[in-house]
Amino acid sequence: MMEDSEITPLLRGGIRTPTTGITKVYRRRWYILFIFSMLALVQTMVWNTWGPIADTAGAVYGWTQSDFAMLNIWGSVTYVTSMFFYSWLMESKGLRVAMLVSGVWLFLGTAIRCIPVPLENTIWVMHVGQIGIGLSGPVVMAASPAVSAAWFPPHQRTTATAVGAIAPIVGVAMSFLIGPQLVHNVDTRNASTVSPLNESIQSNSHFGISPEQKHKHMLEINRLMYLEFAISGVFFFASILYFPKRPPLPPSLSASRQRQDFFAGFKALCMNKQFMGLALAYAIFTGVYIGWTTELTLILNSIGVDQDSAGWMGFSASVAGFLGGLMFGRLVDLTGGKIMKLVLLSLTVASLGIRVWIVLICGKYIPFNTGYAWMNWAMLGSAVLIIPLLLMYKDHYNRLEIDVASSPE
């Protein structure tokens, strides 16, 4: 399909609809998708700041495993407590307002983490910052279907949704790459054999870190905070400059239809067994995996894998998820959504095999770290639980069926 200009309709010269007249596809849709995806990427990147540098941050600040777990858990807590508000906000005020509110929280959260405070108070500032970053998550992590439906034609919707949905995965990958590159691992050549992340450790002296090392690594962490704040600011202000709630004309017939009242729609969804089963499958699979990923450095630390190596492992896994999401999303688009269920089941079975392998590697057949072995088993169990949910799901694509039916032969 050629996109000669934004003056003339681009879908077969324009399709007349009884609701809006002419449908039209705009080139600027790629800019909208880019800004949305970058905010999603940055949000997960800054949220997962501490996991990839846990060894160094633990030695510098004297933080324990529980401290890192609490810093990461704010993402989940804020998501659960604010997702209904953001859902209502997107439906009633549109994408622009929801994106700006999300961007404000991201900007403030990363800014708060840059505030200089005494060393003993750093943990509390970081908690407040992580709460702000977490409050920016629901929109950028879940609104990619809304963006694709509002801006993209039927044959590009799954691809656009896939790009927006895998952007958070890329953000996690970037956290594993950028963090260990800017914040170097603690030099343990003259240290004791006790890990700095052991729950019983309460001071840096147990790890043998010198004051010079401590100051050096603290400067590295500060630079990482400043960099993440700057990146967040760039894309937040880009969304302020241009991110409309919708295009002037809809890209498809289904995009022009009147949306159902939010509360009536929410009630209908809760009564829809097909939707609830699919949502539960997504929540189990993604929620457990995200939680496991944020603790990857701590999990692998117990089997002798250092911070840098764990970072590269997390980066590689996230990049594989990114490329797979793009490839399979485009494949589903090209087949008109007919193989969606097959793709989901195939990927789930493949993931199950990989998770079995990870559990056996980390556990050496017998759990050796009671603090984190359960997370490997939880990740494995999440893949097992969603298989029957996917098997019970019946494929039905309302938007695609409307648009296909309205298209001239």
Side-chain angles (χ1 to χ4, degrees):
M1 180 179 65
M2 298 295 292
E3 294 180 296
D4 298 325
S5 71
E6 294 188 4
I7 304 300
T8 58
L10 300 176
L11 284 179
R12 303 183 183 181
I15 302 171
R16 283 282 170 186
T17 75
T19 307
T20 60
I22 298 178
T23 61
K24 182 175 176 183
V25 180
Y26 296 86
R27 285 197 184 104
R28 71 191 78 163
R29 70 190 185 278
W30 299 110
Y31 168 84
I32 297 297
L33 182 62
F34 173 74
I35 295 299
F36 174 84
S37 300
M38 289 307 301
L39 282 170
L41 183 155
V42 173
Q43 196 276 336
T44 52
M45 181 183 74
V46 300
W47 167 64
N48 194 43
T49 294
W50 299 108
I53 61 170
D55 282 354
T56 303
V60 170
Y61 297 118
W63 295 349
T64 65
Q65 292 177 348
S66 297
D67 292 322
F68 288 105
M70 282 302 301
L71 286 170
N72 287 326
I73 204 173
W74 285 120
S76 301
V77 171
T78 52
Y79 193 105
V80 172
T81 54
S82 64
M83 62 180 181
F84 294 109
F85 166 74
Y86 278 117
S87 297
W88 169 83
L89 191 66
M90 282 192 289
E91 286 294 313
S92 60
K93 303 299 181 181
L95 276 171
R96 176 172 176 80
V97 173
M99 286 296 296
L100 292 183
V101 171
S102 177
V104 165
W105 280 117
L106 180 63
F107 183 75
L108 290 177
T110 53
I112 289 171
R113 300 195 307 178
C114 296
I115 298 175
V117 295
L119 187 65
E120 62 272 16
N121 295 329
T122 302
I123 185 66
W124 303 112
V125 172
M126 296 307 169
H127 274 302
V128 175
Q130 290 295 108
I131 291 173
I133 292 168
L135 287 170
S136 69
V139 174
V140 294
M141 292 184 68
S144 58
V147 173
S148 63
W151 286 90
F152 285 82
H155 66 281
Q156 293 178 349
R157 276 203 297 254
T158 304
T159 302
T161 301
V163 171
I166 62 182
I169 300 175
V170 181
V172 173
M174 295 305 296
S175 70
F176 281 111
L177 178 64
I178 295 176
Q181 292 302 312
L182 293 182
V183 181
H184 299 98
N185 207 355
V186 177
D187 185 358
T188 60
R189 287 173 294 182
N190 299 317
S192 69
T193 57
V194 182
S195 167
L197 298 175
N198 189 292
E199 282 289 350
S200 63
I201 290 179
Q202 299 298 327
S203 68
N204 297 322
S205 60
H206 288 83
F207 191 56
I209 183 173
S210 66
E212 293 77 17
Q213 280 184 301
K214 178 178 175 181
H215 180 69
K216 170 185 171 236
H217 291 308
M218 192 180 301
L219 290 178
E220 292 174 344
I221 294 173
N222 288 340
R223 280 195 290 268
L224 178 61
M225 297 296 104
Y226 298 145
L227 175 63
E228 292 181 340
F229 168 62
I231 295 174
S232 301
V234 167
F235 292 104
F236 168 54
F237 286 109
S239 68
I240 293 177
L241 290 176
Y242 186 76
F243 200 101
K245 63 188 298 186
R246 68 172 71 92
L249 291 172
S252 63
L253 174 61
S254 61
S256 68
R257 291 203 163 188
Q258 185 68 32
R259 301 298 294 269
Q260 192 174 10
D261 174 72
F262 173 77
F263 294 103
F266 177 73
K267 182 179 179 181
L269 283 178
C270 291
M271 300 298 291
N272 189 321
K273 295 180 180 179
Q274 288 290 309
F275 170 80
M276 294 303 295
L278 193 61
L280 182 61
Y282 175 81
I284 293 173
F285 192 86
T286 306
V288 174
Y289 176 73
I290 292 283
W292 181 86
T293 302
T294 61
E295 305 296 332
L296 184 61
T297 298
L298 303 178
I299 294 169
L300 297 180
N301 179 265
S302 61
I303 58 174
V305 178
D306 62 26
Q307 175 177 288
D308 293 336
S309 299
W312 281 109
M313 291 179 186
F315 174 77
S316 301
S318 299
V319 168
F322 163 73
L323 295 177
L326 279 180
M327 180 179 68
F328 288 109
R330 189 58 187 156
L331 178 63
V332 171
D333 257 344
L334 292 174
T335 58
K338 297 177 181 178
I339 62 169
M340 174 74 81
K341 187 173 181 179
L342 176 62
V343 167
L344 290 176
L345 283 171
S346 299
L347 292 176
T348 301
V349 172
S351 175
L352 177 61
I354 294 172
R355 292 173 189 224
V356 170
W357 178 67
I358 291 174
V359 168
L360 295 179
I361 290 292
C362 291
K364 297 180 180 179
Y365 300 100
I366 300 175
F368 61 94
N369 185 336
T370 56
Y372 283 96
W374 68 271
M375 296 191 72
N376 296 320
W377 290 104
M379 186 184 63
L380 171 61
S382 68
V384 175
L385 285 174
I386 72 168
I387 291 178
L389 294 172
L390 291 176
L391 288 172
M392 291 185 292
Y393 174 67
K394 297 179 181 178
D395 301 63
H396 188 62
Y397 307 99
N398 289 334
R399 287 185 178 275
L400 186 60
E401 291 168 3
I402 292 171
D403 294 321
V404 170
S406 66
S407 298
E409 295 296 333

